[in-house]
Amino acid sequence: MRNTNLKRKKASVQKGPKRGEKGFAIDQDPFFDTQSKRRRKIDEEDDIESSDEESDQFDDGEGKEAVAEEEDTAAERRKRVAEAYLEKIRRIAKREQEEDEEERESDGEREGERDSLVAQILQQEQMEESGRARRLIASRVQKPETTDGFRVLVKHRQSVNAVALSEDDAKGFSASKDGTIVHWDVDSGKAEKYLWPSEEVLRSHGAKDPKGKATKHSKHVLSLAVSSDGRYLASGGLDRQVHLWDIRTREHIQAFPGHQGPVSCLTFRQGTSELFSGSFDRTVKIWNAEDRAYINTLFGHQGEVINIDCLRKERVLTVGRDRSMHLFKVPEESRLVFRAPASSLECCCFINNDEFLSGSDDGSIEHWSGVRKKPVHIVKNAHALVAPHRVEQEDNEGLPNGHIDSTSTENGIQMVGNYCSSACSWVNSVIVCRSSDLATSGAGNGFVRLWEIESDSKGIRPLFELPLVGFVNSLAFAKSGHFLVAGVGQEPRLGRWGRIPEARNGVAVHSLKLL
């Protein structure tokens, strides 16, 4: 065995290069070659077939430079916008700093405190925008003078069913029962109408043929919604389609079919192009306006869905004819169900991610919390009639509202007879000024009421009454709280069981003075 091992070792030693030969280099070994044979073959072919003209074309690179310039331009634009906003915040912080303290020890200390104040302002704005902080506006609202009232900004032929404001509160949108959609300026009142396209264009944009006895698409609009970026306006109505409009050109760009009943309510999720639509077919559908695509359908209601609201989170609040309010948690694919005590809910809105308001057909306003299935606080007869309106109402279409004694007094209002039992008393709309403690509600009793939402879910407290004759079918608050927009009509939004002849169909605006 030893001899055999020695022979093997000697043989292995003798395998090196001979004296007269050159040593074998590592880089000549194909094992250490990093490029594959196929890659070398492709490179060789490219070297052989390339010409001077092709090399000149590749060296030119005009397309790449143009794309780079466009990207740089977009990036520079975003940078300018951010710098301008930051400079605005700095000026506000500087003004507050100068008001608080006139003298400072050094410039460095002054600059440092100013930067910290800017950071605090930005953080506060972010918390308010996300709903984690509440602005205290209600206590600053001054009592309106007798001369101050609603002024009609835009007139419509028929009752206004929906109003909406853009994110910057500079533009407004309104829609009525006759299918008219109007785009107007808040300051000047200058209005421009949206023109409905022909039946052929609607079909090319995705609309399905009308079902039933209808021969063409109904233009009766029930709801509107505006995206946060100000690019899209969504409308829905009796034709069971969700229509998407380009705000910049005021042209129809897409129709979303899929609902089996009238589209009664719409809302965009804040900061996104995600659109939610509620319908009489008892479902809520999710769409993407940017991609022009259908996403999902939410089930749960046992009656028609008539109102909807959404904040920045993927949570949707809806009310239906089944006397329930549903909170859909979209990512978790779950929902919470809140039951009304003894009435049908007509409208709803978020206060923040964990608190909500709703209005009922018995004239009550309910304050809800996400941790309780029953209302935390109920304001009964919130819109009781203080004087008899001349209301034309059919005998067969009376509404089952609660009966009120002829001499009862509630919430500081002296009620006459049982007028609260009519259609004029039920709450058609309720809305909260975003991330604040100021709310408002509307009905057909001749007043729009302002409310203060108390902290720690203690309830809501009445503030002021703003006179306005007619059915207040929709409300919109400016983000700053400086004005309120109401969509008014002679008839309710979802029917014709009541009529107030003295009312003027249109959009009314009321300014609010803050301390």
Side-chain angles (χ1 to χ4, degrees):
M1 292 292 292
R2 287 182 180 178
N3 295 333
T4 308
N5 293 335
L6 290 173
K7 289 180 180 179
R8 288 178 180 174
K9 289 181 179 179
K10 289 179 180 179
S12 63
V13 171
Q14 292 176 359
K15 283 183 181 179
K18 296 181 181 180
R19 288 183 178 180
E21 298 177 357
K22 294 183 179 179
F24 185 77
I26 293 177
D27 56 357
Q28 297 177 0
D29 194 339
F31 177 79
F32 296 96
D33 192 1
T34 56
Q35 293 185 347
S36 63
K37 293 181 179 179
R38 185 176 179 183
R39 178 65 180 272
R40 288 200 305 272
K41 186 177 180 181
I42 292 173
D43 293 342
E44 290 174 1
E45 291 177 357
D46 291 344
D47 293 338
I48 293 170
E49 295 178 359
S50 62
S51 62
D52 294 339
E53 295 179 358
E54 292 177 355
S55 61
D56 292 338
Q57 292 177 0
F58 286 113
D59 292 339
D60 190 10
E62 291 181 357
K64 294 182 179 179
E65 290 179 1
V67 173
E69 287 179 0
E70 291 180 359
E71 292 178 354
D72 293 342
T73 304
E76 290 175 359
R77 193 182 303 114
R78 288 193 296 269
K79 183 179 178 182
R80 286 196 301 270
V81 171
E83 288 178 349
Y85 181 72
L86 191 58
E87 185 64 26
K88 178 182 176 182
I89 297 298
R90 283 174 178 168
R91 287 197 300 269
I92 295 174
K94 183 179 179 181
R95 195 183 311 118
E96 293 181 358
Q97 185 180 11
E98 290 176 352
E99 291 177 357
D100 292 342
E101 297 182 10
E102 297 180 357
E103 296 181 356
R104 292 293 180 185
E105 295 181 358
S106 63
D107 294 339
E109 182 183 353
R110 187 183 301 111
E111 192 70 24
E113 292 188 2
R114 187 181 305 160
D115 292 341
S116 63
L117 189 57
V118 169
Q120 291 177 5
I121 294 174
L122 292 174
Q123 185 178 8
Q124 182 69 19
E125 287 186 357
Q126 197 276 333
M127 292 181 66
E128 292 175 354
E129 191 70 20
S130 61
R132 290 180 292 172
R134 184 180 297 176
R135 295 180 295 160
L136 302 179
I137 295 180
S139 59
R140 297 166 48 199
V141 178
Q142 297 183 16
K143 184 177 181 180
E145 301 292 338
T146 55
T147 56
D148 297 337
F150 279 97
R151 58 183 179 92
V152 178
L153 190 66
V154 180
K155 295 180 181 179
H156 282 262
R157 290 185 178 180
Q158 296 187 18
S159 298
V160 176
N161 287 336
V163 293
L165 288 173
S166 60
E167 191 70 16
D168 57 359
D169 297 331
K171 302 174 183 177
F173 307 86
S174 57
S176 60
K177 288 187 176 183
D178 60 0
T180 303
I181 301 176
V182 180
H183 175 174
W184 36 272
D185 185 81
V186 174
D187 295 330
S188 63
K190 183 181 178 181
E192 296 176 349
K193 292 184 179 180
Y194 281 61
L195 299 178
W196 284 91
S198 62
E199 295 290 323
E200 292 76 12
V201 175
L202 285 175
R203 292 191 189 96
S204 66
H205 289 175
K208 299 294 184 181
D209 292 332
K211 297 181 180 180
K213 298 180 180 180
T215 57
K216 62 179 181 179
H217 290 88
S218 173
K219 303 300 188 295
H220 188 125
V221 180
L222 295 175
S223 56
L224 291 176
V226 183
S227 61
S228 299
D229 57 2
R231 294 177 57 190
Y232 302 109
L233 173 70
S235 66
L238 297 184
D239 65 346
R240 308 178 182 182
Q241 323 255 355
V242 177
H243 296 278
L244 201 64
W245 306 79
D246 190 336
I247 293 179
R248 294 167 294 185
T249 60
R250 299 189 302 280
E251 293 181 354
H252 187 279
I253 56 177
Q254 186 68 35
F256 294 129
H259 280 295
Q260 302 302 315
V263 180
S264 56
C265 48
L266 293 166
T267 184
F268 275 98
R269 185 160 73 91
Q270 292 178 11
T272 69
S273 59
E274 199 170 356
L275 176 65
F276 297 91
S277 61
S279 171
F280 278 22
D281 63 3
R282 307 177 183 180
T283 65
V284 175
K285 292 187 181 294
I286 310 175
W287 317 87
N288 190 303
E290 187 71 28
D291 299 335
R292 319 279 202 273
Y294 160 80
I295 299 178
N296 196 8
T297 301
L298 307 178
F299 299 93
H301 275 285
Q302 302 302 314
E304 296 94 340
V305 181
I306 56 177
N307 205 257
I308 193 170
D309 193 23
C310 182
L311 293 180
R312 190 169 291 272
K313 267 189 169 184
E314 285 190 89
R315 294 186 176 185
V316 189
L317 188 68
T318 59
V319 295
R321 294 292 190 193
D322 53 0
R323 294 187 175 184
S324 68
M325 180 169 61
H326 291 215
L327 177 63
F328 292 94
K329 300 179 180 180
V330 179
E332 296 88 343
E333 296 183 353
S334 63
R335 61 189 172 93
L336 298 177
V337 182
F338 305 89
R339 301 288 179 184
S343 59
S344 177
L345 299 176
E346 293 293 321
C347 52
C348 65
C349 69
F350 275 102
I351 299 174
N352 52 41
N353 293 320
D354 301 315
E355 293 182 70
F356 337 109
L357 287 180
S358 66
S360 304
D361 63 356
D362 64 351
S364 301
I365 294 178
E366 297 84 14
H367 183 194
W368 304 80
S369 173
V371 297
R372 293 185 59 180
K373 292 298 182 69
K374 294 183 178 181
V376 177
H377 183 69
I378 300 177
V379 180
K380 295 183 179 181
N381 306 319
H383 283 271
L385 285 177
V386 295
H389 277 312
R390 188 167 65 89
V391 181
E392 299 175 1
Q393 184 174 351
E394 297 183 10
D395 296 337
N396 296 329
E397 296 188 7
L399 303 174
N401 290 22
H403 176 74
I404 305 299
D405 294 335
S406 58
T407 58
S408 59
T409 303
E410 203 156 341
N411 298 324
I413 300 176
Q414 184 72 28
M415 293 172 291
V416 182
N418 63 343
Y419 291 109
C420 192
S421 62
S422 68
C424 295
S425 64
W426 71 10
V427 183
N428 295 320
S429 56
V430 62
I431 195 170
V432 175
C433 184
R434 185 185 296 180
S435 304
S436 73
D437 61 344
L438 181 62
T440 183
S441 60
N445 68 326
F447 291 97
V448 173
R449 301 199 70 183
L450 297 178
W451 307 87
E452 180 182 1
I453 304 170
E454 298 180 352
S455 59
D456 300 329
S457 301
K458 293 181 180 179
I460 58 176
R461 184 176 63 86
L463 289 177
F464 309 112
E465 291 183 343
L466 310 177
L468 182 61
V469 179
F471 287 98
V472 182
N473 296 320
S474 182
L475 290 167
F477 242 130
K479 311 300 182 299
S480 60
H482 286 99
F483 64 90
L484 173 66
V485 178
V488 194
Q490 295 180 350
E491 300 171 347
R493 182 172 76 101
L494 298 177
R496 291 180 173 174
W497 45 77
R499 189 170 184 273
I500 303 176
E502 296 86 0
R504 300 175 64 184
N505 299 322
V507 178
V509 180
H510 195 293
S511 60
L512 299 176
K513 298 179 181 179
L514 304 180
L515 293 174

